[in-house]
Amino acid sequence: MAMLWKFMRVAKYSKTALSPKVKVRGIPTHSRHSSSKSVPSDFAASAPCSNTVELLGKSYPQDDYSNVTEKILSKVGKNLHNRKHHPLWLIKEQVKEHFYKHYLGRRGTPLFSVYDALSPVVTVQQNFDSLLIPQNHTSRRKEDNYYLNRDHMLRAHTSAHQWDLIHSGLDAFLAVGDVYRRDTIDNTHYPVFHQMEGVRLFSCHELFSSIKDGEGLQLFEQGHRTAHKQECHTMEAVRLVEFNLKQVLTKLMTHIFGDGLQVRWVDCYFPFTHPSFEMEINFQGEWMEVLGCGVMEQQLVNSAGAQDKIGWAFGLGLERLAMILYDIPDIRLFWSEDERFLKQFIGRHIWQKIKFQPLSRYPPLINDISFWLPSETYSQNDFYDLVRTIGGDLIEKVVLLDEFAHPKTKKVSHCYRIIYRHPERTLTQDEVHRIHRAIEESAVRELGVEGRF
């Protein structure tokens, strides 16, 4: 379920954006029980010949919504969550094992099935419409998502698969995959990250069978929507679903982080769950948000063909859990090919205690950039995406230092500080200067800003 996420103008970077045709060779993924087959990640840009993007064996015509870059496409198919001994794989396997062991069906088989090879290319209908997200909701903006065209995109959350999996007849499942968002640049944000979705549906018998004198209790009524329930749910049903959800997630977090873990719940709002909550855990004296969850919107459940059931959904970020559990300080490290990083997570079993030992801390190089904003709409995420596209993983952080409005001309100026640091070697000022100069030139050319360099 989408969580932690407060969701371009199409930038046609002359050096870094998609050429009119980009081929991405790979094998389409298929959903299956506890699947773990990765998509080959060999990518190649072909010579311009048509206005299409070829990705995972399919062609997508570009239009005025297309804003995905070659830099982002190069991440598609990496499937870090399926790479054995990778820290994201370890977290995924720990959660899987917990659910397989503690939640069994009538015949003693795992109640939850797992889908970890679903294609990251989804339709806008899957990513937004199926989840009842309004047409004017900010989460749909081009400034925050990677669109192949108006109809297809790289999924912004694993919730994009909720409707399809429920419609296929599943009552309990986990969906894991890479998701894509245009966002700020710092040590906890990256345009590609990994999520795990959990969904559980209950029939009337399943929910009330263990309740004394529960034979007369019902799932549904014709009532009124409040802060605590949907209009079609009875309060008894909501309370039991809510209790079950919080109990399941508290057990999961305790299992991962150990006994004595402090958990608290914060009320929040997601378009496709109501009521909805965020879980925060106290780890080493600091409260940290780790997942979002809630009672599923009945309209979504009904439209997927499960009209006689009520359920919950949760979503958690694998990077967030891994950074906390293994004390990994920088999200860019998950993409490292450095053996000094990867070998630290090879253990005898998935529950082995591991504390990340930092690689040599290389010094940062800091450069500022200032410019007057164009009169038309300007998005900070457009600038962040441009910086990421040109600088890649050499960019550790981008901070808006100053915003100034000229008293006479009313023009607005932004000053950003860009911190360059390679996680595996020392950068030279010469190579950083070349990158910074390319960012300045591209900002003027592609974003229409007026440089103050």
Side-chain angles (χ1 to χ4, degrees):
M1 194 195 70
M3 64 158 202
L4 315 175
W5 319 309
K6 284 69 177 178
F7 293 109
M8 124 178 168
R9 215 177 78 168
V10 181
K12 300 175 182 173
Y13 309 116
S14 59
K15 296 182 180 178
T16 52
L18 283 176
S19 55
K21 182 169 182 175
V22 174
K23 284 186 177 179
V24 183
R25 300 190 300 274
I27 301 172
T29 57
H30 301 279
S31 43
R32 57 191 180 273
H33 184 87
S34 190
S35 123
S36 59
K37 183 177 181 181
S38 296
V39 181
S41 56
D42 49 324
F43 297 84
S46 70
C49 58
S50 67
N51 230 12
T52 64
V53 178
E54 294 186 12
L55 181 59
L56 301 180
K58 294 185 178 180
S59 297
Y60 302 92
Q62 296 187 67
D63 57 26
D64 60 329
Y65 251 63
S66 306
N67 67 351
V68 64
T69 65
E70 288 184 27
K71 183 74 72 173
I72 295 301
L73 287 177
S74 71
K75 306 293 186 182
V76 178
K78 295 290 188 180
N79 294 336
L80 301 182
H81 61 288
N82 288 335
R83 183 174 178 177
K84 194 170 184 179
H85 300 302
H86 192 279
L88 298 181
W89 176 84
L90 289 174
I91 290 289
K92 182 198 73 171
E93 292 299 311
Q94 289 177 23
V95 176
K96 275 175 54 178
E97 182 177 284
H98 175 78
F99 274 89
Y100 280 177
K101 182 177 179 180
H102 291 89
Y103 303 98
L104 302 177
R106 297 176 186 174
R107 299 178 182 177
T109 57
L111 181 65
F112 285 80
S113 53
V114 178
Y115 300 86
D116 58 7
L118 299 169
S119 175
V121 179
V122 297
T123 64
V124 172
Q125 195 278 336
Q126 288 175 300
N127 200 80
F128 295 121
D129 298 337
S130 71
L131 298 171
L132 312 178
I133 296 176
Q135 287 290 331
N136 61 350
H137 198 271
T138 57
S139 64
R140 293 177 178 256
R141 298 185 308 169
K142 286 169 60 179
E143 288 85 350
D144 299 307
N145 298 283
Y146 287 104
Y147 285 92
L148 297 175
N149 53 40
R150 281 186 172 270
D151 298 319
H152 295 86
M153 63 187 298
L154 297 176
R155 62 187 169 207
H157 43 213
T158 46
S159 304
H161 304 292
Q162 269 188 16
W163 192 95
D164 292 323
L165 292 173
I166 294 173
H167 188 64
S168 71
L170 296 174
D171 287 344
F173 58 84
L174 303 173
V176 195
D178 46 337
V179 299
Y180 299 77
R181 297 235 192 91
R182 302 176 79 213
D183 210 338
T184 55
I185 302 176
D186 57 36
N187 68 330
T188 62
H189 291 86
Y190 200 79
V192 189
F193 55 104
H194 298 74
Q195 287 182 352
M196 175 176 284
E197 190 86 8
V199 169
R200 174 79 167 99
L201 300 180
F202 301 87
S203 66
C204 188
H205 172 75
E206 289 171 325
L207 192 61
F208 295 127
S209 60
S210 60
I211 303 300
K212 184 179 180 181
D213 301 325
E215 297 82 359
L217 298 177
Q218 300 296 320
L219 297 179
F220 306 111
E221 68 175 10
Q222 292 186 347
H224 301 283
R225 179 172 288 243
T226 69
H228 306 290
K229 64 181 285 292
Q230 299 173 40
E231 58 271 26
C232 57
H233 293 159
T234 64
M235 184 58 74
E236 294 84 1
V238 171
R239 290 303 188 203
L240 280 174
V241 170
E242 205 178 293
F243 175 77
N244 181 269
L245 170 62
K246 292 181 177 180
Q247 188 179 51
V248 166
L249 294 175
T250 299
K251 286 181 178 178
L252 173 63
M253 290 300 122
T254 301
H255 201 61
I256 292 176
F257 293 103
D259 293 333
L261 182 73
Q262 291 180 278
V263 171
R264 70 183 182 191
W265 299 92
V266 180
D267 292 348
C268 63
Y269 169 73
F270 299 124
F272 42 93
T273 55
H274 178 76
S276 53
F277 316 92
E278 289 174 346
M279 172 192 267
E280 295 181 350
I281 65 171
N282 193 308
F283 192 74
Q284 297 180 347
E286 181 181 354
W287 285 101
M288 289 172 282
E289 180 184 320
V290 292
L291 59 82
C293 60
V295 179
M296 296 189 71
E297 281 289 336
Q298 196 61 37
Q299 183 182 341
L300 188 164
V301 176
N302 290 348
S303 68
Q307 296 91 336
D308 58 341
K309 296 180 179 179
I310 182 175
W312 51 247
F314 73 80
L316 56 84
L318 298 185
E319 279 88 349
R320 175 62 60 88
L321 295 184
M323 291 178 80
I324 297 172
L325 183 61
Y326 302 125
D327 201 18
I328 298 173
D330 193 323
I331 196 170
R332 293 176 300 165
L333 286 166
F334 290 106
W335 297 90
S336 175
E337 295 294 335
D338 192 326
E339 288 298 315
R340 293 176 300 167
F341 174 77
L342 297 172
K343 285 184 176 179
Q344 294 189 40
F345 300 95
I346 298 176
R348 296 184 302 277
H349 53 79
I350 61 174
W351 296 101
Q352 183 172 325
K353 296 289 185 183
I354 297 172
K355 180 175 175 61
F356 171 65
Q357 299 300 315
L359 311 180
S360 298
R361 188 64 170 170
Y362 298 102
L365 293 177
I366 299 172
N367 286 262
D368 294 346
I369 179 172
S370 299
F371 47 75
W372 297 104
L373 305 189
S375 55
E376 61 267 23
T377 301
Y378 167 83
S379 166
Q380 287 189 45
N381 277 354
D382 284 354
F383 178 67
Y384 295 148
D385 206 43
L386 182 148
V387 172
R388 279 194 189 278
T389 300
I390 296 174
D393 287 351
L394 302 186
I395 310 296
E396 179 176 80
K397 191 173 185 179
V398 178
V399 181
L400 177 61
L401 281 184
D402 182 60
E403 185 172 355
F404 167 73
H406 196 283
K408 292 184 178 179
T409 65
K410 306 303 180 185
K411 293 175 66 175
V412 177
S413 171
H414 278 188
C415 177
Y416 294 91
R417 172 154 293 171
I418 303 178
I419 301 175
Y420 299 83
R421 191 199 313 253
H422 198 292
E424 298 163 7
R425 65 178 177 85
T426 299
L427 291 173
T428 67
Q429 188 61 268
D430 283 345
E431 63 182 317
V432 167
H433 176 75
R434 288 194 296 271
I435 296 169
H436 197 74
R437 184 61 179 165
I439 291 172
E440 291 175 341
E441 293 172 354
S442 292
V444 172
R445 183 174 59 250
E446 312 299 345
L447 303 183
V449 303
E450 180 183 339
R452 302 179 67 190
F453 313 139

